[in-house]
Amino acid sequence: MATSPVAESPLGIPKSRVRQLMAASIGNVVEWYDWYAYTFLATYFSAQVFPSDTGNSLVPLLSSYGVFAVGFFMRPLGGLLVGAFADRFGRKAAMTFTIVLMGAGSLLLGVTPTYEAVGLLSPIILTLARLVQGLSVGGEFAAATTFLVESAPPGRRGLFSSFQYVSTTIGQLIASGLAALLASGLAKADMDAYGWRIPFLVGAVISLVGLWIRKGAEETSAVAEEIRRGEAERPGMFEFLQRHPKAAATIVGITIAGTVAYYTWTSFLPIYAQITVDFDPATSLQAGTVALFFFMILQPLLGMLSDRVGRKPMLIAFGLGFLILPVPLLNMISGSFGSLLTVQLIGMVFLGCFTSISAAVNSELFPTRVRAAGAGFPYSLTVALFGGTAPLIGTALEDAGNVGAFPYYMSALALVSTLVYVFVLRETKDQPLS
């Protein structure tokens, strides 16, 4: 007896799995919209929240990026705690928790009083909001990426993995687009006074939409269900490290170059252009928005490619690209819109070879029992050490008159990761998850 074919979307995704993608993606959109609104708006609110009477105009911006980095250092804690929670109680419960946290952090940012009004309490409130967001984002990666990969049908894990950064980029596009719209439509004085608050308040509202959509998700962890029924023991918080130390160390090596390249190319590059060649802030945000849209389109295409050719060739292509290209590309940036956009587009082609499959590679290295914590903690720790500090290092080098050293820093880290891709990482494309 013939069976009816499974209905699929244009990308070959069974329609029965589309809701799972939406549940993970909508929350990720909200999470990363809030996270990146901070980066795009730092040049506007930094002088409002931090003291600026030092005689150096870069000090408030450096302070805001210092808080940006502090938020990153909460991500490993989120990856560990929420990852362990997801392994014990399920991915769905963990994703609900993270989106509530992110909405609260965004609301707190939107109502942060100015330094002139409350003094030191202003940067303290800002820092607290970033700590809450950092905890949420670290936990979101641990729960949502494993949820995405576990929801994939056979031969589609690379494609499903790519939606981690499709949804991330949608959040960035909304944040970048709204920031560009406000920067173009409001006078500089109005942006400094109140315009920068609007995106954060919007983020708090749309987090409620993400919370509602995630209610319809189906749990993907059979182990969590067995634990709930008393048929299996709960995994220890550090069980992933005790039983799979090589896999945890491999994730660190995989991620070092990817996280620096990602945060430089998708977030810091417009600011880098502003502080190196006096690029117009509104124009740099516009170029960044166009580049992010291109980057988003690339993700599922490269994810599907990895399902055919494997994960290792994709990562090696990324590593070699960022070993060779940062110095010539960053030196190409001039005051023109075209130069900045060209640099962003070239870098994003290679960067997509990493981002489209990051969730799949990390998840494929661990068994279901400890997958969320195992993939989430070492990844978030590496992102905190290298990704979160990238804008701070770039700005500090400019302040010290050595901004030309930043692309060499990127290339050095790319060399480390490329060695891991070639000599340490095993191919996981066809490895069963269970």
Side-chain angles (χ1 to χ4, degrees):
M1 179 178 178
T3 58
S4 59
V6 178
E8 293 186 344
S9 68
L11 287 175
I13 300 171
K15 290 186 177 180
S16 61
R17 310 289 177 103
V18 170
R19 188 166 186 174
Q20 293 290 88
L21 280 178
M22 290 180 61
S25 298
I26 187 61
N28 212 26
V29 168
V30 175
E31 299 273 0
W32 291 96
Y33 163 84
D34 289 337
W35 187 256
Y36 281 104
Y38 183 101
T39 306
F40 295 132
L41 296 166
T43 55
Y44 295 104
F45 69 73
S46 57
Q48 303 294 312
V49 176
F50 298 96
S52 56
D53 55 355
T54 63
N56 187 335
S57 62
L58 277 179
V59 168
L61 185 59
L62 277 169
S63 300
S64 68
Y65 280 134
V67 175
F68 183 78
V70 167
F72 270 85
F73 280 94
M74 287 296 288
R75 291 179 62 167
L77 184 60
L80 179 62
L81 296 180
V82 180
F85 181 87
D87 286 331
R88 296 178 182 185
F89 301 103
R91 319 310 189 203
K92 181 179 176 180
M95 292 193 302
T96 299
F97 175 69
T98 57
I99 199 169
V100 169
L101 271 187
M102 182 59 76
S106 186
L107 179 62
L108 193 56
L109 278 169
V111 300
T112 297
T114 64
Y115 184 86
E116 183 180 0
V118 297
L120 287 176
L121 186 59
S122 178
I124 289 173
I125 292 174
L126 183 78
T127 302
L128 176 62
R130 290 301 289 176
L131 292 177
V132 170
Q133 288 186 322
L135 184 70
S136 174
V137 171
E140 174 71 9
F141 181 88
T145 56
T146 53
F147 178 86
L148 271 174
V149 176
E150 289 170 351
S151 296
R156 290 286 190 271
R157 292 202 300 255
L159 173 60
F160 269 56
S161 169
S162 71
F163 279 87
Q164 168 72 16
Y165 280 92
V166 169
S167 54
T168 296
T169 307
I170 290 174
Q172 286 179 268
L173 278 169
I174 298 173
S176 175
L178 183 55
L181 181 64
L182 290 170
S184 301
L186 293 177
K188 178 68 163 57
D190 291 332
M191 277 297 294
D192 290 340
Y194 68 87
W196 63 269
R197 299 180 184 275
I198 296 174
F200 296 122
L201 297 176
V202 170
V205 173
I206 62 176
S207 67
L208 297 176
V209 178
L211 181 63
W212 175 75
I213 291 178
R214 281 192 165 174
K215 284 186 175 181
E218 296 180 4
E219 182 54 57
T220 61
S221 173
V223 174
E225 291 297 308
E226 292 172 359
I227 293 172
R228 183 182 60 81
R229 295 192 300 265
E231 299 172 0
E233 293 183 1
R234 294 180 179 180
M237 184 171 293
F238 292 98
E239 184 176 320
F240 73 91
L241 191 58
Q242 295 167 340
R243 295 192 176 186
H244 310 280
K246 182 180 178 181
T250 300
I251 288 181
V252 173
I254 290 170
T255 309
I256 286 175
T259 187
V260 174
Y262 178 73
Y263 285 103
T264 298
W265 243 257
T266 64
S267 303
F268 181 58
L269 210 55
I271 306 300
Y272 182 87
Q274 292 172 37
I275 65 178
T276 54
V277 297
D278 293 324
F279 208 97
D280 176 67
T283 304
S284 68
L285 284 173
Q286 291 164 4
T289 301
V290 174
L292 283 172
F293 184 80
F294 171 76
F295 184 64
M296 179 185 68
I297 298 298
L298 278 179
Q299 299 307 302
L301 302 177
L302 294 173
M304 287 189 291
L305 180 61
S306 81
D307 284 329
R308 291 180 174 271
V309 304
R311 319 301 187 212
K312 284 192 67 159
M314 305 286 289
L315 290 174
I316 292 172
F318 156 74
L320 292 177
F322 273 86
L323 175 62
I324 298 169
L325 293 176
V327 174
L329 285 181
L330 293 185
N331 286 333
M332 281 175 55
I333 298 176
S334 64
S336 72
F337 176 89
S339 70
L340 179 57
L341 182 60
T342 299
V343 168
Q344 287 183 301
L345 295 182
I346 293 173
M348 283 176 170
V349 172
F350 290 93
L351 178 59
C353 294
F354 168 82
T355 55
S356 62
I357 60 173
S358 175
V361 173
N362 291 353
S363 297
E364 288 164 352
L365 290 174
F366 288 94
T368 304
R369 178 176 171 82
V370 294
R371 180 169 296 128
F377 177 70
Y379 174 87
S380 296
L381 179 63
T382 311
V383 169
L385 292 173
F386 296 95
T389 57
L392 181 63
I393 289 173
T395 308
L397 287 172
E398 166 63 15
D399 189 42
N402 295 316
V403 71
F406 185 68
Y408 289 97
Y409 168 72
M410 293 183 64
S411 293
L413 296 181
L415 174 61
V416 174
S417 287
T418 302
L419 293 175
V420 173
Y421 304 150
V422 174
F423 297 108
V424 178
L425 182 67
R426 68 180 189 274
E427 182 56 64
T428 56
K429 175 175 73 75
D430 298 318
Q431 176 179 305
L433 281 181
S434 59

